[in-house]
Amino acid sequence: MSTERTTPAGSFSYELTRTLDAPAKKVWRAWTTPEQYARWAYAAAGSVEMDVRPGGAWKATTVTPDGGRFPLTGSYLEVVENRLLVIGMDVPGKPAPAVMTLELDEEGDHRTRVVLRQTCDTAEDRDMAEQGSTLLLDGLSAFLADGARD
C-alpha cells in the first residue's frame, strides 16, 4: 500500500492519496470515533473528544515518539457521513483555522480511496503538515490492517 503525493510546484498545498483495504464506513468510524481515533492517531488516552457535525468541536492531545504532548483543537466545517470531513484546526496566534479536507471514495465493497488535502501559509508549514498527515495515514492503514472492530 503506497501513498501518492501531489505537491504543486511553488504551492503551499499538498494532497495525499491512499487506497485502504476497508470499506468507507469502517474508515469513517476509525476517523470519527474517539476511542478508535485515539488508537491509531498517536493521541493520549482519554484526550480525544469529537462532536462530528458542522460546527461541532474536536480535541486531542498528540504524543510524539519522544514523549512530547501537543494539544490540538478545532471544529468540523463540513461533514458528509462516510464521504467527506472538512476539519478546522486552531492555530495559536492566527485568526483563522488551518483547514484539512478528508475525502473517502469507496472502490467496490472493501476498498476506500482516501484523499487528504491541506493548504498552508508557508512551505515550512506545508512540509510539517504533510509529514504529520503521512504519519496519520500510516497509523490508520496499520489500524485497519490489524482488523479494527466495526
Side-chain angles (χ1 to χ4, degrees), residues 61-144:
T61 298
T62 298
V63 180
T64 62
D66 64 0
R69 295 165 87 65
F70 295 94
L72 304 170
T73 60
S75 63
Y76 296 98
L77 306 176
E78 192 174 343
V79 176
V80 179
E81 188 171 353
N82 299 327
R83 299 275 303 144
L84 175 71
L85 273 180
V86 181
I87 304 165
M89 298 172 287
D90 297 331
V91 180
K94 294 192 179 180
V99 177
M100 181 174 71
T101 300
L102 173 75
E103 293 180 16
L104 305 178
D105 185 21
E106 199 156 65
E107 297 179 346
D109 291 337
H110 301 289
R111 292 174 62 84
T112 302
R113 181 175 180 256
V114 176
V115 179
L116 201 115
R117 292 185 189 89
Q118 188 171 351
T119 299
C120 302
D121 293 334
T122 67
E124 181 182 16
D125 288 349
R126 178 206 55 219
D127 293 347
M128 287 177 46
E130 185 173 10
Q131 181 181 21
S133 293
T134 299
L135 288 172
L136 281 177
L137 289 176
D138 290 347
L140 177 61
S141 297
F143 176 74
L144 293 169

Side-chain angles (χ1 to χ4, degrees), residues 22-82:
K25 185 176 179 180
K26 190 176 227 179
V27 176
W28 180 265
R29 272 195 308 272
W31 205 287
T32 61
T33 305
E35 298 78 19
Q36 288 193 28
Y37 183 86
R39 290 178 44 204
W40 63 266
Y42 311 98
S47 73
V48 180
E49 295 180 18
M50 299 175 161
D51 181 6
V52 185
R53 61 182 174 85
W58 65 268
K59 71 177 187 174
T61 298
T62 298
V63 180
T64 62
D66 64 0
R69 295 165 87 65
F70 295 94
L72 304 170
T73 60
S75 63
Y76 296 98
L77 306 176
E78 192 174 343
V79 176
V80 179
E81 188 171 353
N82 299 327

